[in-house]
Amino acid sequence: MPGSEGVLDQGGGAAWRADCVITVDGSYAARLARTGDSWFPERWTLDGPEPYAVPLPGNQPEEPGTEVQPMGDGRVLIRRFADGRHAFSLLYPTGPGTGEIPLGAVECPEEGTVLRLLPPAPGGERAYALAVGRRSSAVWLVAGGAFGPEHVAEIPGRCSGGVWLDRTGRMLALDRESGGRTKAVVVDLERGGEVSPLLQITDGSDDRLLLADPDSGLLLISSDAPSPGRARLGWGVLGSTLPVRFPECLRVPDCVVTPFAIQPGQVLMPESCGVALRVDGPMGSWLGVWRPAARQVQHLPAPEGWLAGSGLWTEDGELLLPYATAEVPCAVARWAAAPRSGALAGEAEGPGGTGETGAGDAGPGDPEGGGETIARSPEPDPPGPVVARPVPLQQAPLGNLVTK
């Protein structure tokens, strides 16, 4: 929120959500669109020659808090809440109308329980939800199962977040609050929800996982370990024994910085991954682009009508930002990184044509910024059917790795 500094607090259930949800492979997106006072689901197709949107209205307008999520086959999962039940359905276009396949419902009888969809799972065939009660949290398979919603894991403590750590949809990272502190843990969905620690920077710190890239192992985290009582944005490498770094350049005064996309495909090169940041300040929201090897953040103007907090990197280093305006209701702005300098040039594409959007100036240099110590990547996982478990980022001396 404006007036604060660092990263958005992900632990209190009030985390900002992206205005548009995109599948892991970038083929489809979905959002809750609005016409006047009426809300309706909308599916975007992103993998064609140009993006286009298909409205999926039901028999009556949706509630503003209704969640939608695209599936890998182009259908859209919707979660509706009524009479204490969370009902799930798959929507798809049928000529002039909308087809709907009911999947069943999840009841949360315990007062105060909050249920929400988890981020899209790799593969696009399954979708999960997290129900957070007073003492424990449950992971539900709500699409892709054989007999409707299935309870797959129960985790002691109140959980938030939700980040996939592999390409199979087996390892799920959650931020678990227990004993007054929040630590990121790993839940193995194929071993009965077995829980193991992931982030343990100090005993008294709140350590949350914000993003992860399975290809490179790059992790973006929020922790107050270097500044007790104030969350800082840092990075580490899954499977590495090196400590987490907290670059000074990721601190933007009077602003909240939230990472929302990591460049995939950079195998064994975490420091070269592009990271997209949403920056919210007193003057509004804009875009930041950063790489762990860099000492500064590139601050860029967001395209008009950006569906804030949503976007996707390609392996080639192109950042795709969906946006919608009255003139162009479905479009994607494309920002391409220059090979060496990291400077970006933008080009917006959509049904209304293309238009140039200039890249903003880079932020001021950071002579003591993060990037002076580069994490070495772990060796590739050995072949075989066994899924390698993440190595916890245990307590490590921060020392000079934390910029002052």
Side-chain angles (χ1 to χ4, degrees), residues 91-391:
L91 308 179
Y92 58 95
T94 57
T98 300
E100 181 168 340
I101 302 175
L103 299 176
V106 174
E107 295 188 18
C108 300
E110 184 181 17
E111 184 178 356
T113 299
V114 176
L115 184 143
R116 62 177 178 83
L117 291 176
L118 287 167
E125 297 177 354
R126 296 187 171 195
Y128 294 85
L130 178 69
V132 183
R134 287 182 293 180
R135 298 181 181 85
S136 66
S137 303
V139 177
W140 287 83
L141 173 65
V142 296
F147 306 104
E150 300 176 14
H151 181 273
V152 295
E154 190 78 22
I155 304 103
R158 293 177 57 84
C159 293
S160 59
V163 177
W164 297 101
L165 298 178
D166 62 354
R167 293 292 184 190
T168 66
R170 172 175 175 175
M171 296 296 192
L172 174 66
L174 296 171
D175 302 324
R176 181 174 65 177
E177 179 185 351
S178 180
R181 294 298 176 188
T182 300
K183 304 287 184 182
V185 298
V186 181
V187 181
D188 189 337
L189 298 182
E190 293 189 7
R191 298 184 65 175
E194 181 179 286
V195 178
S196 58
L198 177 63
L199 291 178
Q200 301 281 352
I201 299 179
T202 68
D203 290 338
S205 60
D206 290 320
D207 310 317
R208 299 179 172 95
L209 181 64
L210 306 181
L211 282 180
D213 174 58
D215 297 331
S216 63
L218 178 64
L219 305 178
L220 271 295
I221 74 159
S222 165
S223 176
D224 62 356
S227 305
R230 184 174 60 185
R232 292 274 302 270
L233 187 62
W235 70 283
V237 179
L238 192 66
S240 173
T241 58
L242 296 178
V244 173
R245 271 124 297 183
F246 297 89
E248 186 70 18
C249 64
L250 294 180
R251 300 177 67 186
V252 182
D254 299 320
C255 294
V256 172
V257 181
T258 309
F260 64 88
I262 299 178
Q263 180 183 356
Q266 310 302 297
V267 180
L268 304 182
M269 298 175 61
E271 67 278 2
S272 68
C273 292
V275 179
L277 310 167
R278 170 181 171 176
V279 187
D280 294 273
M283 303 304 292
S285 301
W286 63 93
L287 179 69
V289 176
W290 169 78
R291 298 177 190 275
R295 293 174 178 264
Q296 64 182 19
V297 174
Q298 300 255 345
H299 291 274
L300 311 167
E304 181 184 359
W306 178 38
L307 304 179
S310 56
L312 186 79
W313 283 98
T314 68
E315 292 188 8
D316 297 331
E318 189 176 44
L319 179 60
L320 312 182
L321 301 171
Y323 70 95
T325 65
E327 296 76 20
V328 185
C330 175
V332 173
R334 300 177 180 270
W335 299 88
R340 293 185 180 180
S341 67
L344 302 185
E347 179 177 315
E349 296 185 359
T354 62
E356 294 295 326
T357 55
D361 295 332
D366 175 27
E368 299 181 57
E372 71 274 21
T373 303
I374 303 301
R376 297 188 179 275
S377 305
E379 295 296 323
D381 294 331
V386 178
V387 177
R389 297 188 61 78
V391 176

